[in-house]
Amino acid sequence: MRIHDPLSEELVLVRGLLPSLVAAMERTVPYAAAWVSRMQGLQIIVSDREQHIAEVLPSQGAVFTAWNGEFLEEAATSDLSRGILEKTALDLAKCITFRHGADGIDPGDALTQEYVTRVKMWPSDLSPQERLEFCIDLHARTRRLDPRIINVQVRYTDGAIATVFANRAKLLSQFVQRVRLLVLVMVSDGEKMRYDYLSRDGTGGMELLEVSDDDLRRLCDTAVALLSAERIEPGFYNVICTPDVSGVMAHEAFGHGVEMDMFLKDRAKSREFLGKRIAPPHVNILDDPSYPGGFGSYFFDDEGQLASPTYIIRDGIFERGLTDLYSAHVLGFPRSANGRRESFARKVYARMSNTFFGRGTTPVSEMVASMERGIYLKHVSSGMEDPKGWGVQLTCHYGEEIANGKPTGRLFHPIGVTGYVPDVLNSISMVGNDFALDGGNCGKGHKEWVPVSSGGPHLKMKVRLG
């Protein structure tokens, strides 16, 4: 059976069983739900030193959820046989002690629907050997570009997840296909060593992973140019951020900081700013799992909430945060589609999906021309947030000097970016009319990982660099 069959025969049978199990649970509890998943994929690494291909460890299991009037209780199993599923569901319901008079859980509008990612070229239509040869060819095309290259690494991953959700109102299934490609070039002049990288990713197929010879040439040229990069003098600078830098700023500053399960733990300073102006009117930040092709996209979250955009900041006003079912219920907020779990073995958290600054109206060329002196920040390497104190810290791979409205070619590597979130947001003076997303994986809790993306347009702002 091919990996991109929307649901395996086993999951089709399970899908048909779940509504009756939910109904049986709700004879003794006021709200019940079921979630079943199956994940599989392939990983490939090709470098000067190795060729490695491995199956992503397959995972499958079911989680049953029940509301006891105060919080949600769950039971899980990796056995999808009918008897075990029935026993797991009913044993959980029997253990629940319901506090009568407590508020109930709204199951949402009635809906039965199946969803499948739009894909032009399914990875599973290529054999593992053909996917390996794709990576070997990409490695060879890059390796021959410059004698100063000392290593090229190509990392490829594809992954498919099928999920089914049921409560008394909904019966939903989705099949989401993701792909990701990273090409990293390392160069040396005999004394120093530098690197640069490019990536391709999204929900879709092999059609998303095209890399041209021009792309590889620019990648190599930048890595070589970084051999002469300087360290930047610490201080406050006017900067222009590329979309990947903008995106990680959104992810760290107004992603983790507004996941509303953190509100329940009193670990988010952002709560003090709800409904208040936090940025200029031309600044918007959204989280949108329905965004077409985003690496963090899906059709419904792991608690059955249909994917839709959530405005976190709208026209400069902090409008709302991101919820899972429990935080939305307790805090009295409308649900957003952000209840996500790493696998059946992990709990649900309020998690980001595709988090980004909204598109503006200013051409990038106009942004650069407006800057008398500053830094063009490119290629974010990492980011950290402090939801309690609301500080943000990024590391950019490099930046280029801008003087008199033009890039000078003078490079700085690496560059740390720090700031207090309200100050950073209020310093945004221009928002570009371009847009791009960059995918990856985000950890939370006990470092449970889920696929996400971040991005937006170019931004002009003022931050501290060092």
Side-chain angles (χ1 to χ4, degrees):
M1 181 171 290
R2 301 195 311 184
I3 190 173
H4 57 79
D5 289 332
L7 288 182
S8 67
E9 182 177 347
E10 183 178 25
L11 286 189
V12 170
L13 294 175
V14 169
R15 187 178 192 270
L17 175 63
L18 293 183
S20 63
L21 294 182
V22 169
M25 293 175 69
E26 289 194 343
R27 295 189 188 109
T28 56
V29 299
Y31 175 82
W35 180 84
V36 179
S37 73
R38 171 172 285 164
M39 309 177 195
Q40 52 191 332
L42 193 72
Q43 292 180 330
I44 298 172
I45 300 174
V46 174
S47 71
D48 286 20
R49 298 173 178 84
E50 68 172 326
Q51 293 180 7
H52 176 80
I53 183 168
E55 185 180 18
V56 176
L57 187 64
S59 170
Q60 71 168 27
V63 181
F64 293 94
T65 302
W67 174 246
N68 67 13
E70 293 184 289
F71 53 86
L72 296 164
E73 298 187 47
E74 294 186 333
T77 177
S78 61
D79 188 335
L80 300 186
S81 63
R82 183 186 185 98
I84 295 298
L85 292 175
E86 290 177 344
K87 185 177 188 307
T88 303
L90 298 180
D91 283 353
L92 172 63
K94 290 175 185 176
C95 292
I96 299 297
T97 301
F98 177 61
R99 184 168 65 86
H100 292 281
D103 292 338
I105 296 291
D106 181 4
D109 297 332
L111 180 66
T112 298
Q113 189 66 54
E114 298 180 49
Y115 304 92
V116 181
T117 300
R118 291 179 180 270
V119 176
K120 294 180 180 178
M121 184 184 302
W122 291 92
S124 58
D125 283 342
L126 301 176
S127 69
Q129 181 62 37
E130 288 173 318
R131 280 173 271 179
L132 175 61
E133 290 171 357
F134 165 79
C135 296
I136 292 172
D137 176 69
L138 189 52
H139 176 273
R141 287 167 53 202
T142 310
R143 189 66 177 83
R144 59 175 173 256
L145 288 175
D146 194 287
R148 288 163 290 190
I149 294 175
I150 59 173
N151 195 8
V152 172
Q153 186 175 89
V154 177
R155 288 181 171 266
Y156 164 94
T157 305
D158 63 56
I161 177 169
T163 59
V164 181
F165 174 85
N167 63 17
R168 67 175 175 269
K170 293 187 175 75
L171 180 58
L172 308 173
S173 64
Q174 64 183 339
F175 188 92
V176 179
Q177 175 71 61
R178 294 185 174 92
V179 293
R180 192 165 189 232
L181 178 71
L182 177 76
V183 182
L184 184 146
V185 174
M186 301 181 68
V187 300
S188 176
D189 60 4
E191 295 181 2
K192 297 185 295 294
M193 185 175 66
R194 294 287 185 264
Y195 72 92
D196 198 23
Y197 60 92
L198 63 77
S199 62
R200 301 283 187 271
D201 57 71
T203 49
M206 301 296 291
E207 68 276 4
L208 301 179
L209 305 185
E210 294 182 3
V211 180
S212 70
D213 290 339
D214 288 341
D215 293 331
L216 296 176
R217 169 51 66 188
R218 284 190 292 270
L219 172 64
C220 179
D221 289 347
T222 301
V224 170
L226 287 173
L227 289 168
S228 58
E230 307 168 43
R231 295 304 298 264
I232 197 164
E233 181 179 347
F236 282 92
Y237 290 80
N238 290 313
V239 302
I240 294 174
C241 303
T242 55
D244 67 317
V245 179
S246 302
V248 174
M249 183 72 72
H251 179 100
E252 302 295 353
F254 251 92
H256 284 299
V258 298
E259 291 168 334
M260 295 183 76
D261 52 356
M262 296 294 99
F263 287 22
L264 298 176
K265 300 173 184 178
D266 194 27
R267 290 198 65 245
K269 188 174 181 63
S270 63
R271 188 173 186 176
E272 301 172 14
F273 292 81
L274 270 171
K276 299 179 181 179
R277 178 165 299 284
I278 194 68
H282 51 264
V283 173
N284 296 278
I285 296 180
L286 300 86
D287 185 274
D288 186 4
S290 69
Y291 192 88
F295 194 70
S297 296
Y298 44 85
F299 299 99
F300 56 87
D301 74 2
D302 296 334
E303 297 177 298
Q305 185 73 8
L306 293 182
S308 63
T310 297
Y311 268 87
I312 301 170
I313 296 178
R314 190 193 299 265
D315 301 330
I317 305 296
F318 177 25
E319 193 165 277
R320 59 158 301 157
L322 308 177
T323 67
D324 55 2
L325 172 60
Y326 181 70
S327 63
H329 181 79
V330 173
L331 294 169
F333 266 76
R335 286 172 64 183
S336 65
N338 296 98
R340 305 182 67 189
R341 62 176 89 233
E342 181 188 66
S343 72
F344 76 94
R346 300 292 187 176
K347 73 179 291 292
V348 164
Y349 294 94
R351 307 294 300 267
M352 286 173 276
S353 60
N354 305 304
T355 311
F356 50 86
F357 281 92
R359 193 191 309 262
T361 59
T362 307
V364 177
S365 59
E366 184 177 319
M367 297 171 71
V368 175
S370 72
M371 188 174 288
E372 183 176 342
R373 184 175 182 272
I375 303 295
Y376 199 158
L377 295 176
K378 303 180 182 183
H379 257 172
V380 70
S381 300
S382 63
M384 295 176 59
E385 93 294 344
D386 172 20
K388 187 75 173 177
W390 223 4
V392 63
Q393 177 179 315
L394 309 181
T395 301
C396 290
H397 187 46
Y398 69 97
E400 182 176 6
E401 181 185 55
I402 297 175
N404 300 317
K406 295 181 180 180
T408 68
R410 185 184 180 193
L411 301 182
F412 302 93
H413 160 86
I415 299 178
V417 183
T418 58
Y420 177 56
V421 169
D423 292 344
V424 171
L425 293 178
N426 275 297
S427 76
I428 298 173
S429 56
M430 291 184 177
V431 180
N433 62 1
D434 60 323
F435 188 87
L437 290 178
D438 185 55
N441 290 286
C442 175
K444 186 174 176 175
H446 294 278
K447 287 305 176 187
E448 292 99 316
W449 299 95
V450 296
V452 298
S453 69
S454 59
H458 280 69
L459 299 177
K460 182 181 177 182
M461 63 177 69
K462 189 171 186 176
V463 292
R464 181 174 179 83
L465 305 182

